[in-house]
């Protein structure tokens, strides 16, 4: 039984941040192997003709005042709304996309720590270099990295994805951090 799970995310997405904090637990409990696949959420919305959630102020107010603090407590993680939201994550997302796959989870978690726990804007090059290291951050400006990021974004669209976070196990899509218990249950049931 295949236990490969693909995790599509953008550092700007707070719900993707919450999933990222739970990946190690998911892998440990289910034996699954998670592949980290950074995407460009802005590009995704543009290609699909979707409006970003930011266009809905009641939703944004609810998200930051109630939903995210509640989910952070549920997942037992530190959370702080960044001073700059949203921020431009194209450079760091491209750097993540071009980084070695085996390092991508740790690099992503470091960016999430800086942005969603410490409230630091990760878009300035100096911050990206500090968090990712200069060599990885420099990758983000290359055409190759941008093409890889576009490829992950296009791949998600081809699979029927429409936002972030999205996890895929086989052909099953799990959208949102609140679907992690369902994915866990499905993976465990497949082990029986």
């Amino acid at each position: 039984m295949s236990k490969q799970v693909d995790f599509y995310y953008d550092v700007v997405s707070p719900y993707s941040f919450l999933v990222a904090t739970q990946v190690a637990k998911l892998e440990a409990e289910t034996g699954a192997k998670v592949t980290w696949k950074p995407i460009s959420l802005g590009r995704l919305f543009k290609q699909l003709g979707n409006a970003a959630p930011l266009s809905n102020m009641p939703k944004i107010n609810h998200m930051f005042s109630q939903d995210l603090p509640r989910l952070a407590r549920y997942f037992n993680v530190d959370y702080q709304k960044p001073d700059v939201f949203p921020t431009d994550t194209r450079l760091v997302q491209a750097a993540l996309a071009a980084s070695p796959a085996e390092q991508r989870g740790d690099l992503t978690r470091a960016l999430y720590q800086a942005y969603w726990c410490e409230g630091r804007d990760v878009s300035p090059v100096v911050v990206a270099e500090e968090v990712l290291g200069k060599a990885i951050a420099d990758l983000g400006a290359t055409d190759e990295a941008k093409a890889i990021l576009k490829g992950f974004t296009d791949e998600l669209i081809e699979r029927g994805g429409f936002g972030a976070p999205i996890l895929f196990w086989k052909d099953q899509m799990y959208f949102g951090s609140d679907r992690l218990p369902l994915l866990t249950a499905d993976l465990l049931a497949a082990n029986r």
Side-chain angles (χ1 to χ4, degrees), residues 89-145:
T89 58
R90 287 177 294 184
L91 174 74
V92 295
Q93 289 297 106
L96 290 170
S99 69
E102 65 276 4
Q103 294 177 21
R104 206 173 287 143
D106 289 339
L107 293 168
T108 300
R109 283 187 280 264
L111 283 167
Y112 277 130
Q113 174 68 32
Y115 192 54
W116 289 105
C117 297
E118 299 167 13
R120 298 169 58 207
D121 185 2
V122 295
S123 66
V125 173
V126 66
V127 176
E129 289 175 351
E130 179 188 327
V131 175
L132 298 173
K134 183 165 175 30
I136 297 290
D138 285 351
L139 288 175
T142 67
D143 289 340
E144 179 184 355

Coordinates of all heavy atoms in Angstrom, one line a residue, residues 89-145:
T89 N 6.0 35.9 -1.2 CA 6.8 34.7 -0.9 C 7.4 34.1 -2.2 O 7.9 33.0 -2.2 CB 5.9 33.7 -0.2 OG1 4.8 33.4 -1.0 CG2 5.5 34.1 1.2
R90 N 7.3 34.8 -3.3 CA 7.8 34.2 -4.6 C 9.3 33.8 -4.5 O 9.6 32.7 -4.9 CB 7.6 35.2 -5.7 CG 6.1 35.3 -6.1 CD 5.9 36.3 -7.2 NE 6.3 37.7 -6.7 CZ 6.1 38.8 -7.4 NH1 5.7 38.7 -8.7 NH2 6.4 39.9 -6.9
L91 N 10.1 34.7 -3.9 CA 11.6 34.3 -3.8 C 11.8 33.1 -2.9 O 12.5 32.1 -3.3 CB 12.4 35.5 -3.2 CG 13.8 35.2 -3.0 CD1 14.6 35.1 -4.3 CD2 14.4 36.2 -2.0
V92 N 11.2 33.1 -1.7 CA 11.4 31.9 -0.8 C 10.8 30.7 -1.3 O 11.3 29.6 -1.2 CB 11.0 32.2 0.6 CG1 11.9 33.3 1.2 CG2 9.6 32.6 0.8
Q93 N 9.6 30.8 -2.0 CA 8.9 29.6 -2.5 C 9.8 29.0 -3.7 O 9.9 27.8 -3.8 CB 7.5 29.9 -3.0 CG 6.5 30.2 -1.9 CD 6.3 29.0 -1.0 OE1 6.8 29.0 0.2 NE2 5.6 28.0 -1.5
A94 N 10.3 29.9 -4.5 CA 11.2 29.4 -5.6 C 12.4 28.7 -5.0 O 12.9 27.7 -5.5 CB 11.5 30.5 -6.6
A95 N 13.0 29.4 -4.0 CA 14.2 28.8 -3.4 C 13.9 27.4 -2.8 O 14.7 26.5 -2.9 CB 14.7 29.7 -2.3
L96 N 12.7 27.3 -2.1 CA 12.3 26.0 -1.6 C 12.1 25.0 -2.7 O 12.6 23.8 -2.6 CB 11.0 26.1 -0.8 CG 11.1 26.9 0.5 CD1 9.7 27.1 1.1 CD2 12.0 26.1 1.5
A97 N 11.5 25.4 -3.8 CA 11.2 24.5 -4.9 C 12.5 23.9 -5.5 O 12.6 22.7 -5.9 CB 10.4 25.2 -6.0
A98 N 13.5 24.7 -5.6 CA 14.8 24.3 -6.1 C 15.8 23.7 -5.1 O 16.8 23.2 -5.5 CB 15.5 25.5 -6.8
S99 N 15.4 23.7 -3.9 CA 16.3 23.2 -2.9 C 16.2 21.6 -2.9 O 15.3 21.1 -3.4 CB 15.9 23.6 -1.5 OG 14.6 23.1 -1.1
P100 N 17.3 21.0 -2.4 CA 17.2 19.5 -2.4 C 16.0 19.0 -1.6 O 15.6 19.5 -0.5 CB 18.5 19.1 -1.6 CG 19.4 20.3 -1.8 CD 18.5 21.5 -1.8
A101 N 15.3 18.0 -2.2 CA 14.0 17.5 -1.6 C 14.2 17.1 -0.2 O 13.3 17.3 0.6 CB 13.5 16.4 -2.5
E102 N 15.3 16.5 0.2 CA 15.5 16.0 1.5 C 15.7 17.1 2.5 O 15.6 16.9 3.7 CB 16.7 15.0 1.6 CG 18.0 15.6 1.3 CD 18.4 15.6 -0.2 OE1 17.5 15.3 -1.1 OE2 19.5 16.0 -0.5
Q103 N 16.0 18.3 2.1 CA 16.2 19.5 3.0 C 14.9 20.4 3.0 O 14.8 21.2 3.9 CB 17.3 20.4 2.5 CG 18.7 19.7 2.6 CD 19.8 20.6 2.1 OE1 19.6 21.8 2.0 NE2 20.9 20.0 1.7
R104 N 14.0 20.2 2.1 CA 12.9 21.1 1.9 C 12.0 21.2 3.2 O 11.5 22.3 3.5 CB 12.0 20.6 0.7 CG 11.3 21.7 0.1 CD 10.6 21.3 -1.2 NE 11.6 21.1 -2.3 CZ 11.5 20.1 -3.2 NH1 10.5 19.3 -3.2 NH2 12.4 20.1 -4.1
G105 N 11.7 20.1 3.9 CA 10.9 20.2 5.1 C 11.5 21.1 6.1 O 10.9 21.9 6.7
D106 N 12.8 20.8 6.4 CA 13.5 21.6 7.5 C 13.6 23.1 7.1 O 13.4 24.0 7.9 CB 14.9 21.1 7.7 CG 14.8 19.8 8.5 OD1 13.8 19.4 9.1 OD2 15.8 19.0 8.4
L107 N 13.9 23.4 5.8 CA 13.9 24.8 5.3 C 12.6 25.4 5.4 O 12.5 26.6 5.8 CB 14.5 24.8 3.9 CG 15.9 24.4 3.7 CD1 16.2 24.2 2.2 CD2 16.9 25.3 4.3
T108 N 11.5 24.7 5.0 CA 10.2 25.3 5.1 C 9.8 25.6 6.6 O 9.3 26.6 6.9 CB 9.2 24.3 4.5 OG1 9.5 24.1 3.1 CG2 7.8 24.9 4.6
R109 N 10.1 24.6 7.4 CA 9.8 24.9 8.9 C 10.5 26.1 9.4 O 10.0 26.8 10.2 CB 10.0 23.6 9.7 CG 9.0 22.5 9.5 CD 9.2 21.4 10.5 NE 10.2 20.4 10.0 CZ 10.0 19.3 9.3 NH1 8.7 19.0 9.0 NH2 10.9 18.6 8.9
A110 N 11.7 26.3 9.0 CA 12.5 27.5 9.4 C 11.8 28.8 9.0 O 11.7 29.7 9.7 CB 13.9 27.4 8.9
L111 N 11.3 28.8 7.7 CA 10.6 30.0 7.2 C 9.3 30.2 8.0 O 9.0 31.3 8.3 CB 10.3 29.8 5.7 CG 11.5 30.1 4.8 CD1 11.2 29.6 3.4 CD2 11.9 31.5 4.8
Y112 N 8.6 29.1 8.2 CA 7.3 29.2 9.0 C 7.6 29.7 10.4 O 6.9 30.5 10.9 CB 6.6 27.9 9.1 CG 5.8 27.6 7.8 CD1 5.9 26.3 7.2 CD2 4.8 28.5 7.4 CE1 5.1 26.1 6.1 CE2 4.1 28.2 6.3 CZ 4.2 27.0 5.6 OH 3.4 26.7 4.5
Q113 N 8.7 29.2 11.0 CA 9.1 29.7 12.4 C 9.3 31.2 12.3 O 8.8 32.0 13.2 CB 10.3 29.0 12.8 CG 10.9 29.5 14.2 CD 10.0 29.2 15.4 OE1 9.3 28.2 15.4 NE2 10.0 30.1 16.3
A114 N 10.0 31.7 11.4 CA 10.3 33.1 11.3 C 9.0 33.9 11.0 O 8.8 35.0 11.6 CB 11.3 33.4 10.1
Y115 N 8.2 33.5 10.1 CA 7.0 34.2 9.7 C 5.8 34.1 10.6 O 5.3 35.1 11.1 CB 6.6 33.8 8.3 CG 5.6 34.8 7.6 CD1 5.8 36.2 7.6 CD2 4.4 34.3 7.1 CE1 4.9 37.0 7.0 CE2 3.5 35.1 6.5 CZ 3.8 36.5 6.4 OH 2.9 37.3 5.8
W116 N 5.4 32.9 11.0 CA 4.2 32.6 11.7 C 4.4 32.5 13.2 O 3.4 32.5 14.0 CB 3.4 31.4 11.2 CG 2.8 31.8 9.8 CD1 3.3 31.4 8.6 CD2 1.7 32.6 9.6 NE1 2.5 31.9 7.6 CE2 1.5 32.7 8.2 CE3 0.9 33.4 10.4 CZ2 0.5 33.5 7.6 CZ3 -0.1 34.1 9.8 CH2 -0.3 34.2 8.4
C117 N 5.6 32.4 13.7 CA 5.9 32.3 15.1 C 6.6 33.5 15.6 O 6.3 34.0 16.8 CB 6.8 31.1 15.5 SG 6.0 29.5 15.1
E118 N 7.5 34.1 14.8 CA 8.2 35.3 15.3 C 7.7 36.5 14.6 O 8.1 37.6 15.0 CB 9.7 35.1 14.9 CG 10.4 33.9 15.6 CD 11.7 33.6 15.0 OE1 12.3 34.3 14.2 OE2 12.2 32.5 15.4
G119 N 6.8 36.4 13.7 CA 6.2 37.6 13.0 C 7.1 38.3 12.1 O 6.7 39.5 11.7
R120 N 8.1 37.8 11.6 CA 9.1 38.4 10.8 C 8.7 38.3 9.3 O 8.3 37.2 8.9 CB 10.5 37.9 11.0 CG 11.0 38.0 12.4 CD 12.3 37.2 12.6 NE 13.3 37.6 11.7 CZ 14.3 36.8 11.4 NH1 14.4 35.6 11.8 NH2 15.2 37.2 10.5
D121 N 8.8 39.4 8.5 CA 8.6 39.3 7.1 C 9.7 38.6 6.4 O 10.9 38.9 6.6 CB 8.5 40.8 6.6 CG 8.1 40.8 5.1 OD1 7.9 39.8 4.5 OD2 8.1 42.0 4.6
V122 N 9.4 37.5 5.7 CA 10.4 36.7 5.0 C 10.6 37.1 3.6 O 11.4 36.4 2.9 CB 10.0 35.2 5.1 CG1 10.0 34.7 6.5 CG2 8.7 34.9 4.4
S123 N 10.0 38.2 3.1 CA 10.2 38.6 1.7 C 11.6 39.3 1.5 O 12.1 39.1 0.4 CB 9.1 39.4 1.2 OG 9.0 40.6 1.9
P124 N 12.1 40.1 2.4 CA 13.4 40.7 2.1 C 14.5 39.6 1.9 O 14.6 38.6 2.7 CB 13.7 41.5 3.4 CG 12.3 41.8 4.0 CD 11.6 40.5 3.7
V125 N 15.3 39.9 1.0 CA 16.4 39.0 0.6 C 17.3 38.7 1.9 O 17.7 37.5 2.1 CB 17.3 39.5 -0.5 CG1 18.5 38.6 -0.7 CG2 16.5 39.6 -1.8
V126 N 17.6 39.7 2.7 CA 18.4 39.5 3.8 C 17.8 38.5 4.8 O 18.5 37.7 5.4 CB 18.8 40.9 4.5 CG1 17.5 41.5 5.1 CG2 19.8 40.7 5.6
V127 N 16.5 38.6 5.0 CA 15.8 37.6 5.9 C 15.8 36.2 5.3 O 16.1 35.2 5.9 CB 14.4 38.1 6.2 CG1 13.7 37.0 7.1 CG2 14.4 39.4 6.9
A128 N 15.6 36.1 4.0 CA 15.6 34.8 3.3 C 17.0 34.2 3.4 O 17.1 33.0 3.7 CB 15.2 35.0 1.8
E129 N 18.0 35.0 3.3 CA 19.4 34.5 3.4 C 19.7 34.1 4.8 O 20.4 33.0 5.0 CB 20.4 35.6 3.0 CG 20.4 35.8 1.5 CD 21.4 37.0 1.1 OE1 21.9 37.7 2.0 OE2 21.6 37.2 -0.1
E130 N 19.2 34.8 5.8 CA 19.4 34.5 7.2 C 18.7 33.1 7.5 O 19.3 32.3 8.2 CB 18.9 35.6 8.1 CG 19.0 35.3 9.6 CD 18.3 36.3 10.4 OE1 18.3 37.5 10.0 OE2 17.8 36.0 11.5
V131 N 17.5 33.0 7.1 CA 16.8 31.8 7.4 C 17.2 30.5 6.6 O 17.3 29.4 7.1 CB 15.2 32.0 7.3 CG1 14.4 30.8 7.5 CG2 14.8 33.2 8.2
L132 N 17.4 30.7 5.3 CA 17.6 29.6 4.4 C 19.1 29.4 4.1 O 19.5 28.3 3.7 CB 17.0 29.8 3.0 CG 15.4 30.0 3.0 CD1 14.9 30.3 1.7 CD2 14.8 28.7 3.5
G133 N 19.9 30.4 4.4 CA 21.3 30.4 4.0 C 21.4 31.0 2.6 O 20.5 30.9 1.8
K134 N 22.5 31.7 2.4 CA 22.7 32.4 1.2 C 22.6 31.6 -0.1 O 21.9 32.0 -1.0 CB 24.0 33.2 1.2 CG 24.2 34.1 -0.1 CD 25.3 35.1 0.1 CE 25.6 35.9 -1.1 NZ 24.5 36.2 -2.0
A135 N 23.2 30.4 -0.1 CA 23.2 29.6 -1.3 C 21.8 29.2 -1.7 O 21.4 29.2 -2.9 CB 24.1 28.3 -1.1
I136 N 21.0 28.7 -0.7 CA 19.6 28.3 -1.0 C 18.8 29.6 -1.4 O 18.0 29.5 -2.4 CB 18.9 27.6 0.2 CG1 19.7 26.3 0.5 CG2 17.5 27.4 -0.1 CD1 19.5 25.2 -0.5
A137 N 18.9 30.7 -0.6 CA 18.1 31.9 -1.0 C 18.4 32.4 -2.4 O 17.6 32.8 -3.1 CB 18.4 33.0 0.1
D138 N 19.7 32.3 -2.8 CA 20.1 32.7 -4.1 C 19.4 31.9 -5.2 O 19.2 32.4 -6.3 CB 21.6 32.7 -4.3 CG 22.4 33.8 -3.5 OD1 21.7 34.7 -3.0 OD2 23.6 33.7 -3.4
L139 N 19.1 30.7 -4.9 CA 18.4 29.9 -5.9 C 17.1 30.5 -6.3 O 16.7 30.3 -7.5 CB 18.1 28.5 -5.3 CG 19.3 27.5 -5.1 CD1 18.8 26.2 -4.4 CD2 19.9 27.2 -6.5
G140 N 16.4 31.1 -5.3 CA 15.1 31.7 -5.6 C 15.0 32.7 -6.7 O 13.9 32.9 -7.3
A141 N 16.1 33.3 -7.0 CA 16.1 34.3 -8.1 C 16.4 33.7 -9.5 O 16.4 34.5 -10.5 CB 17.2 35.4 -7.8
T142 N 16.7 32.4 -9.6 CA 17.1 31.8 -10.8 C 15.8 31.4 -11.6 O 14.8 31.1 -11.1 CB 17.9 30.6 -10.6 OG1 17.1 29.6 -10.0 CG2 19.2 30.9 -9.8
D143 N 16.0 31.5 -12.9 CA 14.9 31.0 -13.8 C 14.6 29.6 -13.6 O 13.4 29.2 -13.7 CB 15.3 31.3 -15.3 CG 15.3 32.7 -15.7 OD1 14.7 33.6 -14.9 OD2 16.0 33.1 -16.7
E144 N 15.6 28.8 -13.3 CA 15.3 27.3 -13.1 C 14.4 27.1 -11.9 O 13.5 26.4 -11.9 CB 16.6 26.6 -12.8 CG 16.5 25.1 -12.6 CD 17.8 24.4 -12.3 OE1 18.9 25.1 -12.3 OE2 17.7 23.2 -11.9
A145 N 14.7 27.9 -10.8 CA 13.9 27.7 -9.6 C 12.4 28.2 -9.8 O 11.5 27.6 -9.4 CB 14.5 28.5 -8.4

